[in-house]
């Protein structure tokens, strides 16, 4: 079976991680002949042996070279390359069909609707879409647009025209051979991992943290962040950006904020989630297609404060015994929110459509949950331990690889062909 994987597999990004997950799943398929066409993902840097397993990196490189050879042979013989399956990992509007059967694996749905260009591609060759969360699937299936054919003045409803399957990320295991060596003077520390940008809402999160702990010198917040890359220029920009926020807001605060910047290996990142000096993970995100850093914190056993909306809700619940009864419970500190239209600066052509909505976390609720975890850490640590145990079973690596491979190969998934009756139809 000849398979083309077209993906940003060599990049340090969420989509890079997603691409490597797809690659690992393809390797479980008997007689799979995998060729890889590597893509860039924005301005993110590419991985190295320091951040990805060397053996896997060598295998990926061989698959890239195999594809280059196929392209050169096809050009020299003026023939076409025939693939049994084509898998595109990335944004659907960039999809171009390269096999009779094509799958698009995508993640980035942080709002309440997808762009019309994404749906149009399901009429132009995408045979199946695979997303990591029920939130992402629901948004695909509920979004519809009404298009007008000006030549004959007829209207057509554009909706998702292919099946959508959900395959989450797997948990990972790490040894303790590669940890970050630093000492924090503060006794209780929160962590947040995210790139700078409107969706992650870091600026508001920092201000709310300062509001809650401005008089407490024993509390700190570690921000693993940056704008694009691990360069010195990016570091200087990031530090200056948060210095301006803090100094213009409450320069006399007693709580501490630490900026952690630069390219880290998976093991080094994981060491943040398991450090004895770091106690809880926090995010004031507007929305997540999945929320990989939140997931990593969850399966590492960290208590979590998060907005109670979008993709990360899939993995933040588990069975929990309470008052003598076992029931499914959201095992994180839930931040209330309002669904609001995204600001103009967050509109991204063909990706985040104007008029779409995302969650605006309530500041009072966020501060309350910060205080709850600080004051009642033992209870939230028990929640986190129960969630960790559940995720190790439901999201173990072998199970997820098998689920992904099955989703890619299965051509018989049911398809929803009409939007729900109460769903808004948007006019193009």
């Amino acid at each position: 079976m000849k398979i083309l994987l077209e993906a940003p597999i060599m990049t340090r990004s969420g989509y890079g991680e997603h691409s490597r997950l797809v690659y690992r799943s393809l390797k479980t398929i008997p007689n799979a002949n995998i060729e890889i066409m590597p893509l860039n993902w924005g301005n993110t840097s590419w991985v190295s042996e320091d951040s990805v397993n060397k053996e896997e990196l060598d295998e990926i490189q061989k698959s890239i070279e195999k594809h280059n050879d196929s392209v050169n042979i096809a050009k020299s013989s003026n023939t076409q390359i025939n693939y049994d399956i084509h898998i595109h990992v990335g944004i659907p509007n960039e999809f171009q069909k390269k096999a009779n059967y094509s799958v698009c694996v995508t993640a980035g749905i942080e709002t309440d609707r997808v762009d019309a260009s994404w749906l149009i591609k399901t009429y132009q060759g995408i045979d199946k879409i695979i997303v990591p969360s029920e939130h992402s699937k629901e948004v695909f299936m509920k979004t519809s647009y009404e298009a007008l054919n000006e030549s004959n003045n007829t209207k057509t409803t554009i909706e998702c025209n292919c099946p959508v399957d959900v395959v989450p990320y797997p948990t990972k295991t790490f040894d303790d051979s590669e940890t970050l060596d630093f000492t924090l003077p503060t006794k209780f520390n929160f962590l947040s991992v995210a790139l700078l940008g409107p969706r992650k809402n870091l600026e508001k999160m920092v201000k709310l943290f300062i509001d809650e702990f401005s008089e407490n010198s024993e509390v700190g917040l570690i921000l693993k962040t940056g704008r694009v890359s691990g360069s010195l220029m990016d570091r200087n920009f990031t530090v200056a950006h948060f210095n301006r926020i803090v100094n213009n807001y409450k320069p006399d605060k007693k709580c501490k904020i630490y900026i952690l910047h630069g390219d880290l290996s998976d093991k080094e990142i994981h060491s943040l989630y398991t450090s004895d000096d770091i106690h809880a993970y926090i995010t004031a995100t507007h929305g997540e297609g999945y929320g990989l850093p939140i997931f990593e914190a969850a399966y590492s056993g960290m208590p979590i404060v998060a907005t109670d909306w979008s993709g990360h809700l899939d993995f933040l619940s588990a069975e929990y015994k309470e008052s003598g009864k076992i029931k499914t419970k959201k095992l994180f500190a839930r931040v209330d929110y309002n669904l609001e239209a995204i600001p103009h600066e967050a509109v991204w052509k063909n990706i985040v459509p104007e008029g779409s909505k995302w969650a605006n976390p309530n500041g009072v609720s966020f501060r309350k949950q910060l205080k709850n975890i600080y004051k009642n850490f033992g209870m939230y640590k028990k929640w986190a331990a129960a969630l960790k145990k559940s995720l190790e079973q439901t999201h173990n690596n072998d199970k997820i690889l098998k689920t992904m491979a099955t989703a890619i190969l299965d051509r018989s998934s049911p398809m929803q062909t009409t939007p729900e009756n109460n769903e808004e139809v948007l006019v193009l």
Side-chain angles (χ1 to χ4, degrees):
M1 182 184 297
K2 196 168 184 177
I3 302 173
L4 174 63
L5 174 58
E6 181 184 40
I9 194 168
M10 298 292 285
T11 66
R12 294 177 181 268
S13 65
Y15 267 114
E17 185 66 25
H18 213 159
S19 302
R20 292 184 284 275
L21 167 61
V22 173
Y23 171 72
R24 291 166 194 145
S25 75
L26 294 177
K27 286 176 58 183
T28 69
I29 299 173
N31 302 317
N33 179 6
I34 306 167
E35 294 185 9
I36 297 177
M37 179 179 177
L39 303 175
N40 291 318
W41 179 249
N43 294 316
T44 54
S45 59
W46 282 34
V47 296
S48 65
E49 293 178 6
D50 295 331
S51 56
V52 176
N53 178 277
K54 182 182 184 301
E55 182 179 350
E56 181 175 73
L57 198 61
D58 289 342
E59 290 177 351
I60 290 171
Q61 191 59 50
K62 288 178 182 178
S63 293
I64 293 172
E65 292 169 0
K66 186 188 299 183
H67 176 65
N68 291 336
D69 291 341
S70 293
V71 170
N72 291 332
I73 292 171
K75 284 182 178 179
S76 62
S77 61
N78 197 26
T79 58
Q80 185 175 346
I81 312 173
N82 294 315
Y83 294 103
D84 297 296
I85 300 176
H86 164 218
I87 304 159
H88 175 88
V89 181
I91 302 173
N93 66 289
E94 297 177 343
F95 170 87
Q96 296 294 328
K97 194 173 183 67
K98 293 183 171 70
N100 287 333
Y101 178 67
S102 294
V103 176
C104 181
V105 180
T106 192
I109 304 169
E110 303 92 9
T111 63
D112 66 338
R113 68 189 62 159
V114 296
D115 190 77
S117 64
W118 292 24
L119 299 181
I120 290 171
K121 286 294 183 178
T122 66
Y123 295 82
Q124 297 176 342
I126 294 179
D127 297 294
K128 175 180 283 189
I129 292 171
I130 298 176
V131 294
S133 69
E134 292 294 337
H135 166 79
S136 295
K137 177 178 179 177
E138 181 181 17
V139 172
F140 257 110
M141 303 312 293
K142 285 189 173 182
T143 305
S144 62
Y145 294 87
E146 191 174 81
L148 177 64
N149 186 334
E150 295 181 351
S151 63
N152 57 16
N153 201 35
T154 59
K155 295 180 180 179
T156 302
T157 299
I158 299 173
E159 58 204 9
C160 186
N161 193 47
C162 71
V164 181
D165 284 357
V166 176
V167 182
Y169 285 90
T171 59
K172 293 182 178 181
T173 56
F174 297 91
D175 58 41
D176 297 325
S177 62
E178 195 173 341
T179 61
L180 292 171
D181 185 18
F182 59 83
T183 302
L184 298 170
T186 39
K187 294 181 179 179
F188 193 100
N189 297 289
F190 295 91
L191 169 70
S192 195
V193 179
L195 287 175
L196 281 170
R199 177 170 61 87
K200 296 300 186 179
N201 206 19
L202 289 180
E203 293 82 359
K204 179 177 180 178
M205 185 188 75
V206 168
K207 290 179 179 179
L208 291 172
F209 169 81
I210 293 173
D211 286 340
E212 183 58 37
F213 297 112
S214 61
E215 298 300 318
N216 193 333
S217 61
E218 294 186 345
V219 179
L221 168 62
I222 300 99
L223 286 179
K224 171 60 182 81
T225 188
R227 183 172 51 170
V228 175
S229 67
S231 68
L232 179 59
M233 182 181 297
D234 193 281
R235 176 181 180 273
N236 291 340
F237 172 88
T238 302
V239 172
H241 178 72
F242 284 104
N243 272 337
R244 283 193 300 271
I245 292 173
V246 173
N247 292 333
N248 291 335
Y249 193 59
K250 288 186 179 179
D252 57 345
K253 65 172 180 56
K254 294 180 181 178
C255 57
K256 301 292 190 296
I257 296 173
Y258 311 98
I259 302 296
L260 182 58
H261 184 273
D263 294 331
L264 301 180
S265 69
D266 287 351
K267 289 181 180 180
E268 288 173 328
I269 286 288
H270 180 72
S271 74
L272 295 174
Y273 301 129
T274 57
S275 170
D276 292 337
D277 291 333
I278 304 175
H279 301 81
Y281 188 93
I282 64 173
T283 175
T285 180
H286 288 299
E288 300 288 341
Y290 190 75
L292 190 54
I294 309 172
F295 177 62
E296 291 170 340
Y299 74 69
S300 299
M302 291 192 85
I304 291 169
V305 176
T307 314
D308 194 19
W309 187 77
S310 71
H312 51 281
L313 299 192
D314 275 21
F315 55 78
L316 291 179
S317 296
E319 288 189 348
Y320 190 76
K321 188 174 183 179
E322 197 168 50
S323 302
K325 296 181 180 180
I326 296 177
K327 58 183 179 180
T328 300
K329 180 182 178 65
K330 290 182 177 180
L331 296 175
F332 71 106
R334 296 173 287 160
V335 177
D336 297 334
Y337 66 93
N338 293 315
L339 273 186
E340 298 178 0
I342 64 170
H344 178 72
E345 60 268 22
V347 174
W348 191 353
K349 186 179 179 182
N350 295 328
I351 299 175
V352 182
E354 186 172 1
S356 57
K357 297 178 180 179
W358 61 19
N360 184 19
N362 179 277
V364 173
S365 178
F366 189 84
R367 287 185 59 185
K368 177 183 176 181
Q369 298 295 24
L370 291 180
K371 183 178 180 180
N372 285 343
I373 281 192
Y374 180 63
K375 294 291 187 180
N376 303 292
F377 180 71
M379 183 191 76
Y380 287 100
K381 190 65 177 175
K382 288 182 180 178
W383 285 14
L387 184 59
K388 178 183 187 307
K389 183 177 180 180
S390 175
L391 290 174
E392 287 173 344
Q393 297 173 355
T394 60
H395 290 62
N396 77 71
N397 186 67
D398 291 344
K399 182 180 292 186
I400 297 302
L401 291 183
K402 182 178 179 180
T403 303
M404 177 65 81
T406 300
I408 290 170
L409 294 175
D410 181 15
R411 307 189 187 194
S412 60
S413 299
M415 179 181 67
Q416 177 175 318
T417 56
T418 56
E420 294 187 4
N421 293 332
N422 62 348
E423 188 61 24
E424 179 184 8
V425 177
L426 306 159
V427 180
L428 287 178

